[in-house]
Amino acid sequence: MDRTAGIIVIGNEILSGKVVDTNSPFLTRELRSLGVTVRRILTVPDELDEIAVAVAEFQERYDLVFTSGGVGPTHDDVTMEGVARGLNRKVIRHPAIEGRIREYFKEKANEARLKMAEVPEGAELIVDGRLGFPTIKCENIYILPGIPEILEQKFQAIRDRFAASPYFLRVIYTKDGEGTIAEHLNTTLVAFPELLLGSYPKIGDPEYAVKLTLESKDEGYVEQAMAHLLALLSRDSVVRTE
Amino acid sequence: MDRTAGIIVIGNEILSGKVVDTNSPFLTRELRSLGVTVRRILTVPDELDEIAVAVAEFQERYDLVFTSGGVGPTHDDVTMEGVARGLNRKVIRHPAIEGRIREYFKEKANEARLKMAEVPEGAELIVDGRLGFPTIKCENIYILPGIPEILEQKFQAIRDRFAASPYFLRVIYTKDGEGTIAEHLNTTLVAFPELLLGSYPKIGDPEYAVKLTLESKDEGYVEQAMAHLLALLSRDSVVRTE
């Protein structure tokens, strides 16, 4: 099964350069290892309309959508309302989450904390015994927090549901630069048009000049393409393969 | 002067999790320090239509657009054609760049290398004596390479042209969590609606629980808002300010 995904990172702290986004690289690596193809990563500010537009577009284009950030108790946490707006839903205070917050905070369950019980109407709560708070899912959108430790915990708790067919990867490191090997890459793609072929030059590395990645969800196909390309490259230029 | 920017990162290597994008964090920090407001960061695959759609949208929405990646000599380097398509222009082989490539590579100036002379019709070449290759600008789009060392060099060579009015930033570190201080943040925003106020919880930090950032392009405004908020927060909870 092939599945596509889009990631929406929500946060002024990323766009103002205060914080480097580590959540989308984490999600991207995890999804790839599951065989899911990430098609877009978008960072938007903590603004309702920006979130709503992104959610509406991603929800339609991709099988899976992940949002990161903007789910806390403060003024700049507007993801739930943004997702709801993007899906033309209302925001409701979910009784199960409200009960959990009131139980945990007792008399300290103020309006700010209760804001964390607000979700798009019709949202699904994914409860996991290992985590204190459910993960919110709405249509194909998984709403994850911005704090990396919690995002990672939450994703690990639900990751099994995203398994798709895996990618098979082979790698060639070559001493020849891209200008020298480009024609061989083109020839290989003519013979193997479905191959995912990446060419990544590395500056100042004494070991190699270009890392080539060959990928497919068909293991035989990537092996045949690998043999084809290796036969075209000059033997001296190939440092090693993986 | 206020200026907005959008960043388009082009590369399957980012979306497949092989490489962590360091270019957009670099550009974001640099642009912020210049006073430019980054509104969106988007990562798209090395595909013509994806690039064209993103370029067309960003070109219209933001004062400045930066692309990163996809400008080398190989099959997956389709940024120039994608930008051209997004702007409804043709791709041409630029005589000045072609001359430079032929001069540098002599008889090794093959088709792959000459591909690097192809730019959108009407593109401007920004020549800098310190760099071997011009930076390509087309309308408000600056087309930068994906290799971080070269992207950084190229940006440094042109950064002065982006200077806008600066942001003024103050920071408060507090031991109280977001649930406790949210009401004070809301009250501050009622009094100072134009304040850029960020609230960033930190898990497991012995020093503080939340970092608050107060920003504005009006230095007096941010100082008044800072005083207002500090008066609301409990004195014991404020660990330090910057």
Side-chain angles (χ1 to χ4, degrees):
Chain A
M1 184 179 52
D2 281 352
R3 285 176 132 179
T4 60
I7 299 170
I8 304 172
V9 178
I10 297 155
N12 294 340
E13 72 275 25
I14 312 293
L15 292 169
S16 63
K18 290 189 192 69
V19 173
V20 173
D21 164 39
T22 58
N23 289 337
S24 75
F26 167 80
L27 290 172
T28 302
R29 277 192 306 273
E30 289 286 314
L31 290 166
R32 185 72 172 193
S33 75
L34 289 161
V36 176
T37 305
V38 176
R39 296 283 302 164
R40 274 193 179 195
I41 304 165
L42 174 65
T43 304
V44 295
D46 298 297
E47 293 175 19
L48 279 178
D49 282 340
E50 288 279 343
I51 300 168
V53 166
V55 162
E57 187 182 350
F58 276 49
Q59 184 266 330
E60 194 160 298
R61 288 173 69 119
Y62 308 116
D63 299 323
L64 302 166
V65 180
F66 299 88
T67 73
S68 155
V71 297
T74 58
H75 63 284
D76 53 358
D77 294 308
V78 296
T79 293
M80 290 295 174
E81 203 176 332
V83 171
R85 187 178 292 191
L87 301 177
N88 287 313
R89 298 187 183 206
K90 286 191 297 187
V91 170
I92 58 144
R93 187 170 285 187
H94 197 290
I97 311 180
E98 178 173 357
R100 199 176 278 245
I101 291 172
R102 289 197 185 277
E103 191 183 352
Y104 184 83
F105 285 106
K106 304 275 194 277
E107 70 283 4
K108 288 187 173 168
N110 59 16
E111 273 308 301
R113 293 185 170 114
L114 287 167
K115 180 168 174 280
M116 291 169 69
E118 291 176 358
V119 299
E121 191 167 38
E124 180 188 336
L125 306 194
I126 308 173
V127 178
D128 186 288
R130 294 165 290 182
L131 306 177
F133 215 76
T135 298
I136 312 298
K137 179 192 174 202
C138 201
E139 299 198 14
N140 55 346
I141 301 163
Y142 293 82
I143 302 171
L144 299 173
I147 297 176
E149 294 87 341
I150 309 183
L151 176 129
E152 293 180 16
Q153 279 175 5
K154 279 190 175 283
F155 185 84
Q156 296 300 357
I158 56 176
R159 81 190 295 277
D160 290 345
R161 61 171 69 202
F162 308 122
S165 60
Y167 284 95
F168 296 94
L169 167 70
R170 298 295 310 269
V171 182
I172 302 172
Y173 295 88
T174 157
K175 274 189 230 174
D176 283 342
E178 284 195 317
T180 306
I181 63 175
E183 60 177 313
H184 304 313
L185 305 182
N186 291 333
T187 309
T188 302
L189 281 171
V190 170
F192 297 89
E194 299 301 316
L195 182 71
L196 301 172
L197 177 58
S199 173
Y200 307 114
K202 186 79 179 281
I203 288 196
D205 193 304
E207 194 199 359
Y208 70 93
V210 181
K211 176 182 177 179
L212 299 170
T213 61
L214 296 82
E215 283 178 284
S216 168
K217 292 204 164 195
D218 179 336
E219 192 169 11
Y221 195 80
V222 76
E223 290 303 332
Q224 285 171 41
M226 179 84 174
H228 185 97
L229 178 53
L230 281 173
L232 293 172
L233 295 171
S234 103
R235 188 168 293 190
D236 290 347
S237 83
V238 175
V239 180
R240 63 190 165 92
T241 63
E242 285 172 3
Chain B
M1 183 179 52
D2 280 351
R3 284 177 134 179
T4 59
I7 299 170
I8 304 172
V9 178
I10 297 155
N12 293 340
E13 72 276 25
I14 312 293
L15 292 168
S16 63
K18 291 189 192 71
V19 173
V20 173
D21 163 41
T22 57
N23 288 337
S24 75
F26 166 80
L27 290 173
T28 301
R29 277 193 306 273
E30 290 286 315
L31 290 166
R32 185 73 173 191
S33 76
L34 289 161
V36 176
T37 304
V38 176
R39 296 284 301 163
R40 275 192 180 196
I41 304 166
L42 174 65
T43 304
V44 294
D46 298 296
E47 293 174 21
L48 279 178
D49 282 341
E50 288 280 342
I51 300 167
V53 166
V55 162
E57 187 182 350
F58 277 48
Q59 185 266 331
E60 194 160 297
R61 288 173 70 117
Y62 308 116
D63 298 324
L64 302 167
V65 180
F66 298 89
T67 73
S68 155
V71 296
T74 59
H75 63 284
D76 53 357
D77 294 309
V78 297
T79 293
M80 289 297 173
E81 203 176 334
V83 172
R85 188 178 292 191
L87 301 177
N88 286 314
R89 298 187 183 206
K90 286 191 295 184
V91 170
I92 57 143
R93 186 170 285 187
H94 197 290
I97 311 179
E98 178 173 356
R100 199 175 277 245
I101 291 171
R102 290 196 186 277
E103 191 183 352
Y104 184 83
F105 285 105
K106 305 274 194 279
E107 71 282 4
K108 287 187 174 169
N110 58 17
E111 273 308 301
R113 293 183 170 114
L114 287 167
K115 178 167 174 281
M116 292 170 68
E118 291 177 358
V119 299
E121 192 168 39
E124 179 188 335
L125 307 193
I126 307 173
V127 177
D128 186 291
R130 294 165 291 182
L131 305 177
F133 215 77
T135 298
I136 313 297
K137 179 191 176 204
C138 200
E139 301 200 12
N140 55 344
I141 301 163
Y142 293 82
I143 302 171
L144 298 172
I147 297 176
E149 293 88 341
I150 308 182
L151 176 130
E152 294 180 15
Q153 279 176 6
K154 280 190 174 283
F155 185 84
Q156 297 300 358
I158 57 176
R159 83 189 292 279
D160 290 347
R161 62 171 67 201
F162 308 123
S165 61
Y167 284 94
F168 296 95
L169 166 72
R170 297 295 309 269
V171 181
I172 302 172
Y173 295 87
T174 157
K175 274 189 229 174
D176 283 342
E178 285 194 316
T180 305
I181 63 174
E183 60 176 314
H184 304 313
L185 305 182
N186 291 333
T187 309
T188 302
L189 281 171
V190 170
F192 297 89
E194 300 300 317
L195 181 70
L196 300 173
L197 177 58
S199 173
Y200 307 115
K202 185 79 180 280
I203 286 197
D205 194 303
E207 193 198 1
Y208 71 94
V210 181
K211 176 181 178 179
L212 299 169
T213 61
L214 296 81
E215 284 176 284
S216 168
K217 292 202 164 195
D218 178 337
E219 191 169 12
Y221 195 81
V222 76
E223 290 303 332
Q224 285 171 41
M226 179 84 173
H228 185 97
L229 177 54
L230 281 173
L232 292 172
L233 295 171
S234 101
R235 187 169 295 188
D236 290 347
S237 83
V238 176
V239 180
R240 63 191 167 90
T241 63
E242 285 171 2

